[in-house]
Amino acid sequence: MIAERLAADAPARPALAQQALAVDQPERPYDLWLLGTVLAMLSLGTVEIYASTASAAFDKYGDPTYFLKRQIVFLGLGGFAMWIGATFDYRRLYRLTYPLLLLALGLLAAVQAMPAINGARRWILLGPLSFQPVELAKLALITYLAYSLRRKEERVKSFTVGFVPHLVVCSLMMGLLLMQPDLGSSIILGVTTLAMLFVAGARISYIVLAVLAAAPVAYQLVVGTPWRMQRFMAYFNPEAFSSREAYQFLQARLAIGSGGLTGVGLGESRQSLGYMPEGHNDFILAPIGEELGFIGVAIVLVLFTILLWRGVRAALGARDIFGGYLAFGVTMMFALQALLNVGVVLGVVPNKGITLPLVSYGGTSLVFTMFLIGLLLNVGRRPLFAPRGRSLAQPGLSAARRKRARVRVVA
Amino acid sequence: MATSDGATRGMQGLPRAVKWRAWIATALVTLLLAGVGYRAWGLQVEDAETFRERALRQHVHTVEIPAPRGAILDARGRPLAVTADAESIYVNPGAVVDVVTTADRLASLLDLDPAAMEARLSSRRHFAWIARHVTPAQAAAIRAAKLPGVEITTEPRRWYPGRTSGGPLLGFAGIDGDGLDGLELRFDKLLRGQRARFDALRDARGKTALADGVVDAVPGATVHLTIDRAIQDLTDAALGEAVTSHGAKAGVAVVLDVHTGAVLAMSSWPTYDPNEPADAVAAGARNRAVTDVFEIGSVMKIFTVSAALDAGVTRPDEMWDVENGSYRIGNHTFRDTHHDPELTTAGIIKRSSNVGAIKIAQRLGRDRFYAALTRFGFGHRTGIELPHEETGTVRDGSRWRDIELATIAFGHGLTVTPLQVASALAALGDGGTWHTPHLVDRVVGADGATVWQPTLESRRIYEPKTAAQMLPILAGVFEHGKHGGTAGNVVVEGFRAGGKTGTAHKLDPVTKRYAEHTYLASFAGLAPIDDPRIAVVVVIDEPQGKDYFGGKVSAPVFATVVSQTLRYLGVPGDPSAPTAEDLDPALAAAKARADARAEARAKADAKARAKADDDDDVAEVVDLPPVSEAVDDVDIPDFRGASIARALDLARTSGLVIDVDGSGRAVAQEPAPGRAPAGTVVRVTFAAGTAPPPPVSPEKPR
């Protein structure tokens, strides 16, 4: 009866509304913890982007706020993307899985035809805008895995049905990424895939097997590519490569180390006087560590931990499996990316080209990242509407819950 | 909820097992995040000190701002050495875009070697000089070329407006403003000032980014000399002409104020232009008045006779048997140029008799003679404020052999510096009182306080009676006629002077014997002889040709210097002084021509000075006959708008001397642009904060 009333109120989307009301699900508020964490990261990142680029931007463009202004523009675009991510019916992605996957693979292949920037073909250039297909690939892969894992359910445990197809798609993507070359993103996607398979119930032995199989490939990649080998050597003996491969790392470590416990003070970074050309980008943690000290670095790590736990909470609280895997995959990917980025800056792992999500200077990548955050919020919110998929729209609520929901709807 | 089938499980969210594994994965990643956090703790808290030190080394460097070097001014405050800004070109190799092209452009604009330039541009440092103290035209060309990484800065540069005038005396300062020779070296500490040093942040390209507590450099002190540029110039000119016309190796001339010991001029030949000191060392240029010692010869008879008169062992009119100019001691025979049978004590000086001098010295005896020479200052430094002063060598008198006593009597067997001779002679001109020779009047700090003054000593080295007796004796040397003095053919225009010639055989350094044909021609004298004002010593080393006598080579220099200096100083001329017409007509004619040239220069100097200075001493100089033939006219450029450096440069190339007044940009000049005799002094007034200078096009010939 309520359904009928609401259906009359919402004639624009009668089918959806009917289904949603049939399910009779309550709407949760957005996760303010998650939102607050994200806003804190964006603020910290924006401040440090300004602090670390003011001097260089003034030298180069005559405007100390050059990067700050662009960052604010992308924050605006990202905010819009986040709003879309948080409000659209994420279950539509379920049906878009394969088109999305094909588009991502197509763009990853197309990028090979683009001119190289700094020796890498990562960007698709559209006039003044540039766009990295890897961002779309992340979404596509996670969507595909969520879709596939939901469909296969218990058959995930099987090697041929549950394990190999996922690895094939993932390897295809990783292969295309390695051609760019983009080892960092490739690793992130690979580990995210393995993490999702593990969570879904794939056998540990298969995962170990996959890692073992990847080892010789990784070895070949490192030893067979001179500059990767150099980076690898530089990791073990940075001082010997101080002016080349290890320059960024050594300067970042100097910045972080000299920050001490409380830092040299906001805006007081000396390393930003041109010593760290990537201080706003992959190495944003360095100016944070220098200006805010260990406390600043710890804040970043705590924020990512909160993001991780709230993200996982959203995933596990999701009412549908697809949404649950989607949220878990997105969360895991952010956490792994942060881990790898911080690891590189602190010298725990060899140098990769990985940004610190939500903190680094972003461009289009920030817009995508914020869209994914929106998606996390969306899943966590348990939206009222439900996808049109047959198996998803099943009533299963207790009487008490149904009563609460009814009260809210009526109110 | 727990027992849900496949269909409902979708609405239940992830299965329980999945949730468990998800928490496991999350916990694992959290642990890893904690792990990198621990790593950050290690870097930032435990190793912070190490990194902080390393960071300081990278970021902070000491910036030095050189202090402007103090000026050296002459007795009337005219600049002899000043510091002005000059432009220098440097490169930041890191900022150079195209090394090869940049190197080629720089090389062609600055006339440098392209390969060397390329090497410099390829350096990994943040800074390298390309060319320092370039001309304004070169700087303009570089500026116009707009080469990335190539920068222009201004640096203090030392300028010597007088060019070669007084070069070896002033010495020079190196490109970084360090005094390297002469007064520049001796007063380096005071001239140098105190450069400002402070720590500053430097960015990755080596640029100074921030600096706290910048200290101003303390400008160097100003050295006021007793040297008068006009006298220095005329002395330089007279000496230079004599040295070159006689093909001599070197020459020295010193002009002392007999009443104070102040050095009015100190010239050396070869000289050099301290603006371009590179050739100075090669030319053997040095301030020979104090750095070189000579066996000066007969000039020393002045002191032999003075010592004897002082000791009371003879009188000026005592008659001495001079053995017809040939006297044997041991197995050596001493000869005179003239063959007089007998001479008075005064005559011994006038005719420069070696035999007479020997006899006087023998009567005086070793001890008294040695004591007198020591008292006169020989064998000791005079104490003048110049580096590298020599003592000369006077052996202990008690150990003189007979032959040494004899030779020392006429100036062989001991070495002296020209300055020692000048100051011992000056004492005769001041009634027997010796004054420490000095050429620095005072050194004034940037705040106007006197920071240094010479310690002057005055002591009686002759009886006043001796001094009074010696003056007429010295005047006799200029007596003309058959039995005249050794400088009898020399005319000191307008004044009566006295002195002593010297013509010494030089000791051959290889054979250790006196060489037959290498001579040292010298003259030392006082003027005006009735009431001496100045003592002048002229030494000319190895004159070539048939004229090698002190009376022929050095005495004319003395005459020119004395005559011009006394006029310049405003000493009234002596109408009773002999003139050129009193002498042999042929000689007079020849000398007149030579003098005309010298006088013209003196007139030009005096005229220019009259314009430059307030007119207090013009009256005495304007009555000179106008002589125009010998002076080359030059163009006086328009100095207005020029920086001091550029004005000095302009003056240098157009053959003018400028007086710098004030600082900043030139706003006025006197005389105005036009034609003027070479060497004219142009007074240029500079002022700060005036309208921007007219643009200097790079093509403009300088």
Side-chain angles (χ1 to χ4, degrees), chain B residues 368-684:
Chain B
R368 277 188 292 185
F369 191 18
Y370 175 72
L373 287 176
T374 307
R375 189 169 75 239
F376 299 163
F378 298 108
H380 303 284
R381 292 194 176 86
T382 62
I384 195 164
E385 51 287 76
L386 280 169
H388 316 304
E389 190 189 3
E390 279 289 335
T391 58
T393 309
V394 184
R395 290 190 356 118
D396 185 352
S398 61
R399 287 154 64 184
W400 289 348
R401 288 169 292 133
D402 287 346
I403 192 132
E404 267 181 294
L405 174 66
T407 60
I408 287 171
F410 58 89
H412 283 261
L414 85 170
T415 59
V416 298
T417 67
L419 184 65
Q420 285 173 336
V421 175
S423 64
L425 179 62
L428 283 176
D430 195 39
T433 307
W434 182 91
H435 305 282
T436 310
H438 59 281
L439 35 79
V440 174
D441 180 54
R442 63 194 188 279
V443 180
V444 178
D447 54 355
T450 300
V451 292
W452 191 88
Q453 266 188 313
T455 39
L456 299 179
E457 201 187 325
S458 294
R459 59 175 187 267
R460 172 148 293 173
I461 60 172
Y462 311 100
E463 294 299 325
K465 185 170 146 242
T466 306
Q469 286 172 334
M470 279 305 289
L471 296 182
I473 294 178
L474 293 173
V477 171
F478 282 102
E479 263 173 42
H480 183 56
K482 191 170 181 300
H483 295 286
T486 49
N489 287 330
V490 175
V491 170
V492 179
E493 202 76 49
F495 296 96
R496 281 165 38 78
K500 178 72 195 81
T501 59
T503 310
H505 284 281
K506 283 186 72 183
L507 194 64
D508 188 310
V510 180
T511 61
K512 303 286 176 204
R513 296 173 70 91
Y514 287 96
E516 199 62 42
H517 293 299
T518 57
Y519 302 96
L520 189 74
S522 51
F523 193 94
L526 296 164
I529 196 65
D530 304 323
D531 177 18
R533 292 278 301 270
I534 57 173
V536 178
V537 172
V538 178
V539 178
I540 292 178
D541 197 3
E542 295 187 21
Q544 305 294 309
K546 65 181 171 52
D547 284 337
Y548 54 82
F549 286 103
K552 283 275 177 71
V553 177
S554 297
V557 177
F558 169 85
T560 308
V561 169
V562 162
S563 174
Q564 295 181 353
T565 302
L566 291 181
R567 279 180 188 168
Y568 171 81
L569 293 174
V571 178
D574 185 343
S576 71
T579 62
E581 287 71 40
D582 298 342
L583 304 178
D584 177 76
L587 203 82
K591 215 189 98 54
R593 279 195 299 278
D595 276 1
R597 224 167 286 134
E599 222 159 281
R601 197 178 306 111
K603 190 184 136 21
D605 278 350
K607 201 168 143 193
R609 186 178 48 73
K611 284 201 157 90
D613 298 339
D614 290 331
D615 295 342
D616 53 12
D617 55 3
V618 181
E620 290 78 23
V621 291
V622 287
D623 59 356
L624 285 163
V627 184
S628 59
E629 39 130 36
V631 180
D632 294 328
D633 274 8
V634 296
D635 279 318
I636 301 181
D638 189 346
F639 290 104
R640 281 166 299 183
S643 64
I644 292 182
R646 174 149 174 79
L648 290 168
D649 206 40
L650 272 174
R652 221 153 67 84
T653 45
S654 48
L656 295 160
V657 177
I658 70 168
D659 264 2
V660 175
D661 187 8
S663 66
R665 296 276 173 184
V667 291
Q669 71 185 86
E670 174 66 36
R675 303 283 292 173
T680 296
V681 180
V682 182
R683 184 178 202 100
V684 183

Side-chain angles (χ1 to χ4, degrees), chain A residues 25 59 153 198-199 201 251 256 260 271 273-275 289 293-294 297 301 309 312 316 318-320 346 391-392, chain B residues 7 9-13 19 21 23 26 30 32 36-37 39 41 44 51-52 54 58-59 202-205:
Chain A
Q25 290 182 349
D59 278 357
E153 295 178 0
F198 162 74
V199 168
Q251 292 297 339
I256 291 188
Q271 282 291 88
L273 296 172
Y275 294 97
F294 174 74
V297 175
L301 292 174
W309 285 79
V312 169
L316 303 191
R319 193 156 297 148
D320 61 299
L346 294 178
S391 58
L392 285 172
Chain B
R9 204 167 63 208
M11 291 320 294
Q12 297 305 322
K19 287 184 177 174
R21 286 193 289 267
W23 286 125
T26 304
T30 308
L32 289 173
V36 292
R39 166 77 174 171
W41 174 269
Q44 299 190 270
F51 288 112
R52 237 175 241 146
R54 256 190 247 175
Q58 175 160 300
H59 301 144
R202 124 184 107 177
D203 74 10
R205 286 184 291 166

